Amino acid sequence: MDLRESGENYLEAILVLQQKTGVVHSIDVANYLNVTKPSVSRAMGILKDADYIWVEKGGQLHLTEAGKKIAESIYERHRLLTEYLVHLGVDEQTAASDACRIEHVISEQSFQKIKEHAGGKK
């Protein structure tokens, strides 16, 4: 199943929050993405149905292997593109905002070439 940009953003948010705090609930995702709790609830239902997340009885969110793979890929793109744009002279806030949009539409081939040019591994 192909995810839309918003689904990728939710998966990325769960990954980042798990890395920061270890425990993630819907309210954490809502606060992180600055969206409403009902929006998060709807998105979590869709991601759960697609087998990208699972929800513990107490409401804790977890990525499945498939969800984690997508989240890690998007987050890698976000970090590398942000760093690359900052290196080119873009201010950090603009770079992060632009990277957030670019990370969802850039082809794998273009991303790999940028990664190679930026000194990353193949």
Side-chain angles (χ1 to χ4, degrees), residues 21-122:
T21 65
V23 177
V24 182
H25 291 90
S26 291
I27 191 67
D28 304 318
V29 176
N31 291 334
Y32 182 81
L33 293 175
N34 197 28
V35 297
T36 65
K37 186 142 180 349
S39 294
V40 174
S41 294
R42 184 175 184 281
M44 294 306 108
I46 292 167
L47 294 173
K48 183 179 175 190
D49 289 345
D51 200 32
Y52 291 124
I53 67 163
W54 61 278
V55 183
E56 214 172 281
K57 205 167 203 155
Q60 187 174 343
L61 304 173
H62 299 274
L63 296 169
T64 63
E65 283 303 313
K68 186 176 180 183
K69 183 177 178 181
I70 292 167
E72 287 175 340
S73 173
I74 294 298
Y75 190 47
E76 176 191 26
R77 288 173 178 224
H78 181 87
R79 287 188 333 262
L80 187 132
L81 290 167
T82 299
E83 291 171 12
Y84 193 66
L85 291 170
V86 168
H87 175 75
L88 294 174
V90 178
D91 69 88
E92 195 165 335
Q93 185 175 0
T94 301
S97 177
D98 288 347
C100 192
R101 290 191 303 272
I102 295 167
E103 70 196 24
H104 302 286
V105 296
I106 192 170
S107 71
E108 184 61 28
Q109 179 183 15
S110 293
F111 178 71
Q112 288 304 320
K113 291 300 179 185
I114 290 171
K115 189 174 175 180
E116 288 173 24
H117 187 266
K121 298 180 182 114
K122 255 188 168 180

